[in-house]
Amino acid sequence: MPMYTVYNVPLCCLFTNSMELATILLSIIVIIFFINVFSNQKEEKCKNLPPGPKPLPILGNFLILDIAKPHKTFLQLSKQYGSVFRIKTGINEFVVLCGLDTIKEALVDNAEIFNDKSSTALYSKLIKNHGVVFSNGDNWKVMRRFSLSTLRDFGMGKKTIENRINEEAECLIQKLKSYKGHPFDNLTSINAAVTNIIVSILLGKRFDYEDPIILRLMELVNENIRLLGSTWIALCNSFPFLMRWLPGAHRTVAGNRREFQDFIRATFTKYKKNLDVNDQRNLIDAFLAKQQEGNEESSQYYHNDNLTVLVGDLFGAGIETTSATLRWGLLLMIKYPEIQKKVQNEIDRVIGTAPPQMEHKKKMPYVNAVIQEFQRFGDVLSKVTPRVASRDTTLKGYFIPKGTRIIPVLHSIHKDKEYFEKPHEFYPEHFLDSQGNFKMSETFIPFSTGKRSCPGENLVKMELFLFFTSILQNFTLKAPPGAKLDLTPALGTTNSPRPFEICAISRN
């Protein structure tokens, strides 16, 4: 008889005896039976539900999904079922939304109905409606309001943060120069530079690129991003009872999250000892000052659990999408040297050798087009975190019952031939008119849309422009001899580039 294993652990060893295993398996069968009965009753009760592929018992539509990149499957299914369709994965059922009109109808026109986010089974256990990314209701409103006002207070969208980014860009340039044109993996350097911007706002400091603290924090974030896109995590979110009984990547994710939160708690505990409410140095100080106000809002929302998760939310959001997008830009400059040359020509003409400033941006149509195009092509946030319908409603003529989880797929907009002439190619002309002037497009929404769009959008735009122009101002980027450039995204919850090496040849 074969010995079945899970992550190289014999299945029989996961339970104390065969009776326990039999009880668990029977419980799973009973749970799934009642879920299927409930689902069938719901379909009989609710008329005009969105169409979708027929689900298998227990598994639902799990077997037809590209687990690594489900947005690709969603785009294919939309061609058969339309811009609104249902899909099941285990115990979960979602309504998938594709196309600009459909997504805007949900997130903008019906923002109040689809404002709440639905976290995964794993993250629901870890976060518990704290922070800003996955929280809902009044907690989300208070934390978002605090986050936006504090980010502005500490420079987001202002000259102070622009100067800080330029100072960090100079540190990055010196780091790249230290390689003297030899090949290097850019992930750590780019991640560290971007991390230092959000860290300066959250903690009021920066780290050296070789500091073991920042290296460990980035390692925790990067590993979780990768693992959260794995098949095992998809299974756990589809069948949450697996997380209780089995080992696997979900335990690594939880452990990484705990280690990260331990660092945050230790940091704000230290900051609290030296807090001066009249001289707030960073976001943590601002939060701790709110704690001391002594009113109902401060006691209800400005507690340590909210602070821990909020800092983690802003830290993760401030690193991954910006760093991944910037690395897409560098990879595409290597892939298309003729475009890189045009970028450098415009930088030389408009900026020269002076440090780039945001005021230069409006005079640089080609660079603007290139930056937006590598955001579109990289498609880092291919889908929006699922939302939940707060009441019964209709969408594109279909009935959406209260409690339905929807998945808006941004990939369906950014890779649609109706909106972009060459959707699967890197083509900066998507954002240029016939005279070479930069043109905005309503079909370009890399930060999502509606009330829960990315609160750090302005900061990300500033970072992308200043870091990108600084690097191309100082270096010509090339691939190492014999290297093959792969434009296939890496495994993970975001569409990051696969690891690649760069030769940064100094232009000075």
Side-chain angles (χ1 to χ4, degrees):
M1 180 177 290
M3 176 68 73
Y4 294 101
T5 63
V6 178
Y7 281 79
N8 297 319
V9 178
L11 187 59
C12 61
C13 294
L14 298 174
F15 308 96
T16 56
N17 53 57
S18 57
M19 181 62 70
E20 182 180 350
L21 174 58
T23 301
I24 292 168
L25 292 175
L26 179 61
S27 300
I28 292 172
I29 292 171
V30 171
I31 290 170
I32 293 172
F33 171 77
F34 281 107
I35 288 172
N36 285 331
V37 169
F38 175 77
S39 179
N40 291 335
Q41 289 176 342
K42 187 176 103 173
E43 290 205 23
E44 292 175 3
K45 181 181 177 181
C46 300
K47 302 299 182 183
N48 200 32
L49 292 171
K54 186 174 179 60
L56 294 172
I58 301 177
L59 291 175
N61 304 116
F62 201 88
L63 297 181
I64 69 171
L65 283 178
D66 179 343
I67 300 302
K69 300 297 175 187
H71 55 274
K72 293 185 176 180
T73 305
F74 296 154
L75 192 58
Q76 290 300 316
L77 290 173
S78 70
K79 296 176 182 177
Q80 181 177 355
Y81 296 103
S83 64
V84 182
F85 61 89
R86 284 185 302 158
I87 194 163
K88 289 191 68 175
T89 59
I91 68 170
N92 299 315
E93 183 174 56
F94 301 94
V95 170
V96 180
L97 310 182
C98 294
L100 181 66
D101 291 343
T102 301
I103 291 174
K104 281 198 169 183
E105 182 176 329
L107 302 188
V108 179
D109 300 341
N110 293 288
E112 294 300 326
I113 299 174
F114 295 109
N115 195 49
D116 284 352
K117 285 191 176 182
S118 170
S119 181
T120 62
L122 174 58
Y123 257 55
S124 292
K125 294 179 64 176
L126 298 176
I127 292 173
K128 301 176 183 177
N129 201 41
H130 295 141
V132 68
V133 173
F134 290 106
S135 66
N136 292 314
D138 289 339
N139 190 82
W140 170 75
K141 292 177 183 177
V142 173
M143 289 298 99
R144 182 177 172 87
R145 184 171 66 245
F146 168 79
S147 300
L148 287 172
S149 64
T150 308
L151 288 172
R152 283 194 295 266
D153 289 344
F154 287 101
M156 188 175 77
K158 299 178 181 178
K159 193 69 176 179
T160 51
I161 198 68
E162 179 178 343
N163 292 338
R164 199 173 302 169
I165 296 170
N166 273 329
E167 290 169 6
E168 192 61 45
E170 180 57 31
C171 295
L172 177 60
I173 296 306
Q174 295 307 314
K175 179 64 177 178
L176 301 190
K177 284 184 177 180
S178 71
Y179 294 106
K180 299 180 179 180
H182 297 300
F184 66 95
D185 184 345
N186 62 89
L187 175 60
T188 300
S189 298
I190 298 298
N191 258 9
V194 170
T195 299
N196 271 332
I197 302 304
I198 193 65
V199 164
S200 71
I201 296 173
L202 299 177
L203 310 182
K205 62 177 294 184
R206 72 174 298 277
F207 292 98
D208 291 334
Y209 294 170
E210 289 78 23
D211 190 309
I213 294 177
I214 193 174
L215 293 176
R216 181 56 181 162
L217 293 178
M218 293 190 304
E219 181 183 7
L220 294 173
V221 172
N222 290 335
E223 184 174 35
N224 273 10
I225 290 292
R226 178 177 58 83
L227 291 177
L228 288 169
S230 67
T231 301
W232 178 251
I233 296 296
L235 278 167
C236 287
N237 286 325
S238 298
F239 306 98
F241 45 79
L242 294 175
M243 290 188 285
R244 180 175 180 180
W245 303 106
L246 301 178
H250 62 287
R251 299 194 186 277
T252 303
V253 169
N256 288 346
R257 182 86 186 181
R258 282 193 296 271
E259 183 178 343
F260 193 94
Q261 290 181 336
D262 287 344
F263 166 79
I264 295 169
R265 278 189 285 267
T267 299
F268 71 66
T269 299
K270 180 175 65 177
Y271 281 25
K272 186 176 289 188
K273 295 177 181 178
N274 303 310
L275 177 65
D276 181 353
V277 295
N278 296 314
D279 183 23
Q280 297 169 23
R281 301 157 295 179
N282 48 62
L283 182 139
I284 289 180
D285 275 2
F287 194 101
L288 295 174
K290 283 283 189 180
Q291 280 187 346
Q292 297 190 6
E293 289 181 359
N295 54 38
E296 182 179 352
E297 183 178 89
S298 67
S299 60
Q300 186 171 356
Y301 300 108
Y302 289 93
H303 50 76
N304 289 348
D305 288 340
N306 243 345
L307 175 56
T308 302
V309 177
L310 176 64
V311 172
D313 285 347
L314 296 176
F315 189 97
I319 296 174
E320 172 56 24
T321 53
T322 307
S323 174
T325 303
L326 185 56
R327 289 190 299 115
W328 272 117
L330 303 185
L331 177 60
L332 289 161
M333 292 304 95
I334 297 171
K335 180 76 172 178
Y336 301 102
E338 69 283 2
I339 295 178
Q340 179 178 183
K341 186 61 178 174
K342 289 182 180 179
V343 167
Q344 290 173 326
N345 287 342
E346 189 168 76
I347 291 173
D348 294 344
R349 185 174 67 254
V350 176
I351 303 176
T353 59
Q357 304 291 331
M358 290 306 295
E359 63 186 27
H360 292 131
K361 189 177 180 183
K362 57 181 176 290
K363 303 175 185 177
M364 304 176 74
Y366 192 75
V367 168
N368 276 326
V370 166
I371 291 174
Q372 291 210 171
E373 179 64 358
F374 66 64
Q375 286 180 269
R376 184 203 67 83
F377 181 88
D379 195 30
V380 172
L381 293 178
S382 58
K383 58 186 181 351
V384 174
T385 303
R387 307 289 177 83
V388 183
S390 60
R391 59 178 173 82
D392 290 351
T393 188
T394 58
L395 196 61
K396 292 298 179 187
Y398 294 111
F399 178 61
I400 308 295
K402 178 181 178 179
T404 299
R405 285 179 284 182
I406 65 167
I407 303 178
V409 184
L410 301 184
H411 179 81
S412 67
I413 300 173
H414 295 148
K415 297 300 173 77
D416 192 327
K417 191 174 180 62
E418 180 182 345
Y419 308 134
F420 298 99
E421 181 183 348
K422 301 178 180 180
H424 300 290
E425 298 180 24
F426 180 65
Y427 188 62
E429 285 73 12
H430 285 142
F431 298 98
L432 294 170
D433 64 19
S434 57
Q435 283 76 45
N437 299 312
F438 176 71
K439 63 177 182 181
M440 292 295 296
S441 172
E442 67 168 5
T443 59
F444 176 71
I445 52 171
F447 303 98
S448 188
T449 188
K451 291 187 176 182
R452 297 201 68 153
S453 60
C454 175
E457 178 177 346
N458 289 333
L459 177 61
V460 174
K461 289 178 177 178
M462 190 177 286
E463 288 180 278
L464 290 177
F465 177 77
L466 294 175
F467 278 129
F468 182 70
T469 53
S470 294
I471 293 171
L472 271 294
Q473 181 187 51
N474 285 274
F475 302 100
T476 294
L477 307 178
K478 296 183 178 181
K484 293 183 179 179
L485 300 178
D486 187 354
L487 299 183
T488 306
L491 176 68
T493 55
T494 59
N495 279 336
S496 302
R498 292 177 181 271
F500 65 99
E501 289 191 327
I502 285 179
C503 294
I505 312 301
S506 180
R507 300 182 68 211
N508 301 327

